[in-house]
Amino acid sequence: QVQLVESGGGLVQAGGSLRLSCAASGSIFRINVMGWYRQAPGKERELVAAITSGGSTNYADSVKGRFTISRDNAKNTVYLQMNSLKPEDTAVYYCNVKTGRLSSPREYVYWGQGTQVTVSS
């Protein structure tokens, strides 16, 4: 019932910037948390950044000071501004959304299709 559409990935030179977007649509009552995960070849998927409905944020140590997560609640959209990109940031980035529903107290988890970010040295 909820669809996530990601955009903004691509190829960039080391030191450059990219801005990822993830828009949620469908039957949404409440979005509790929106975040970004990434998975590089041969590595496990890891949390990059997350933001709650109240605006609290959490970042992986490897991206602190370089990445900024934000959200537009009116548009049900989360953004990831990535600056000073490094080759180590190369990965598929996945949007993650946790929602609530009017008919249930539990949370529901949704994943985006993934967008490739490649940083050349």
Side-chain angles (χ1 to χ4, degrees), residues 7 15-16 22 24 26 31-32 36 38 44 50 55 60 69 73 79 81 89 95-96 103 114:
S7 63
C22 175
I31 296 180
N32 298 323
W36 293 93
R38 68 185 181 188
E44 297 182 352
I69 189 170
N73 291 333
Y79 307 93
Q81 180 66 46
D89 296 317
C95 180
N96 174 266
S103 60

Side-chain angles (χ1 to χ4, degrees), residues 5-48:
V5 179
E6 301 179 24
S7 63
L11 175 65
V12 66
Q13 186 178 355
S17 299
L18 286 173
R19 180 179 171 87
L20 305 183
S21 299
C22 175
S25 62
S27 300
I28 301 173
F29 172 68
R30 179 184 68 251
I31 296 180
N32 298 323
V33 184
M34 304 186 81
W36 293 93
Y37 288 72
R38 68 185 181 188
Q39 187 166 22
K43 296 184 178 181
E44 297 182 352
R45 186 173 299 187
E46 64 175 349
L47 174 68
V48 178

